[in-house]
Amino acid sequence: MGGFAMCGSSRNGFVENCNQIVTDIICLFVSDFVPLHTEKCKTDKIMTIDITFRLLGSLALLIYGMKTMSDSLQKMAGPGLRHILGRMTGNRFSGMLTGMIVTCAVQSSSATTVMTVSFVSAGLLTLAQAISVIMGANIGTTLTAWIMSLGYNVDLTTVVFPAFLVGMVLIYKKRHSVAGEFLFGLAFMFWSLVMLSNVGRDMDLAHNADVMSFFASFDTSSYLTILAFLTAGTIITCIVQSSAAVMAITILLCSTGVLPIYMGIALVMGENIGTTATANLAALGAGTAARRAALAHLLFNVFGVIWVLAVFYPFVDMVCEIVGYNSALPGQTTKFPIMLAMFHTCFNVLNTALLIGFIPQMERLVCRLLPDGTEKSKQPATLHFINDGVMQTPEIAVFQAQKEIVHFAERIQRMFGMTRALIDEKDKKEFERQYERISKYETISDNMEIEIAEYLGQVGNEHLSDDTKEKIRIILRQIGELESIGDVCFKAARTIQHLRNNHEDFTSKQYANLHDIFQLVNEALTQMLVVISGRREDLTIAPSLEIERDINTMRDALKAEIVSDLNALHYSYSLGALYGDLISACEELGDYVMNIVEARLGKHLLVYRGLQMNLDHKTVSIDGTTVSLTRTEYALLHLLLANQGQVFSRQQLMDTIWTGVIVTDRTVNVNITRLRKKLGPYAQNIVSRQGFGYVFEVI
């Protein structure tokens, strides 16, 4: 920041020294390739190269500033953007208004359009809703042209450096770093506009005979000239991938008086077509729905250009009258930036007004141009909602990953259903066919975990808000647990296969018990699907906890039954071991399901079999009956139960539970004794390790 704070004379001297160094380097380079016959010729060439670099650098700074500002605004908006686009598009007018507001907010019609295309691909928006949003985005993007025209008519240097200073302070305050990034982007954008204005003055194109004669050679009253500049604007925007940069060049040329207003407006019309390339390129690798939305954007702008061309000169004259421009009066070039911004606004507003009533017809047209089944999917067969071909904002990427989680869970439940059916399958060929399907599903689950994780890894390379980072962590945990469920299902299938290979069979009682515990697991999986596909605010962890408790209770009863049956020689030890393995597999599945539910809803309960701690209400219950504990006893149980298997020394307990209070080992022992008495059957789980301390032991 020291460079920004230096006084004007020092700064000018520094710039002059830098310019001299650059000039000397350019001179050496140019002298090898261009014969410099005179000192004046040499100076002119160097000035031309210097101005070219300043022009390109200013444009690069403009693009960077707008991108930084747009990204930071999207991060500040967070999930709000997705909810706005998803919920405020009930009809064509609300959709149009939504697109306009979002584009004004993020200062990028490309960002809004790409988000909209992604939403169509993810099934969040219909094509008709997407078209209305795109229409609004075209109106919202006109704000950028007005900001640029302001930069050419108002000295913005007074706000640039304070914005840099405040932005730097906010960036270092991590809590407000996104706001700081926004200010930096805004400052860069304003600074680039100031530099572009200075470059325009230094170029002095109005007094350059060659440049003036070049543009004067075009007949502004000829449609061929208008079409030529329209095509040039389209091509340049497609190449640069930034309509803002092309608009800045257009304003620069018009404000210097070199480019006649008719040609400048033709370039603006071309920019409107060229800017659709971003969404169309992004949708190339996506599905038909996304490609249709991108095509609708192109058709909307092309139609607008066609009808404006039909009334081009009267339409431009009307805009001139609105702005107060009179070509007969001298010194009117200062109004050209405002003229271009006004034309851009009138063009998009009128085009939307004309076409908003024909959205159903546009929808039918793009469906005819891109019928179903014309594209070849390039995405992996295992994924349905993640499209690598569509550019994503982090929020949309996370949203699509969440939908993919639901698809993953549905596939895992089908895999469990196959494993469950395998128990009763007696036909050898059908058994082998079903076992092979389970094996393939296990491979698919492994691939899905890797593909979703890699996709989120790419998203993680972006600058993310804390909320989005937390969502990604939750999804990564969920896919890991889902893959583990697939592994356990395949392990259970192998156990059943081992049973068949040994030519053994379960007793009718064992079959009945297995059907019962498998039914409980299926209920747990069904409830898990409800949790991960529903809204967190409308859900509770209680049903899943109840099912998991039933699974654990049945597991304990069946394990005890196995011991007594083996002692009574009701079946062989090997059969009992296979039977026990399937029961253990069901208990594992219940644990993984609970991990997924807890990752989704948060862990507000601590549970060990019938012992339950409600962390929200600070209550403890045993088999549904509330147990009255003191604050100290509750804190002790919470610490031990939350860290099952971890030994805490008496000193650690004193430092954690009795913070700031002087107590002795006897105080710890007395409170542990009282807690054990109140826990009834779970008193035995709080174990004293001689010479170490206390631990909540899983028995």
Side-chain angles (χ1 to χ4, degrees), residues 174 287 421-422 503 542:
K174 303 228 177 222
L422 201 65
H503 302 291

Side-chain angles (χ1 to χ4, degrees), residues 1-2 111 114 151 226 228 246 312 349 360 419 451 464 519 527 620 628 656 672 674-675:
M1 295 303 297
V114 169
I226 303 303
V246 184
F312 182 74
V349 169
T419 306
E451 289 163 7
L464 306 175
Q519 176 59 31
Q527 181 59 30
V620 177
S628 179
T656 305
I672 290 289
R674 290 175 179 169
L675 177 61

Side-chain angles (χ1 to χ4, degrees), residues 282 285-286 378-380 383 386-392 451 455 458:
K378 295 182 180 179
Q379 66 197 58
L383 302 182
I386 291 176
N387 295 301
D388 292 333
V390 179
M391 294 189 305
Q392 314 279 352
E451 289 163 7
Y455 175 73
Q458 294 173 3

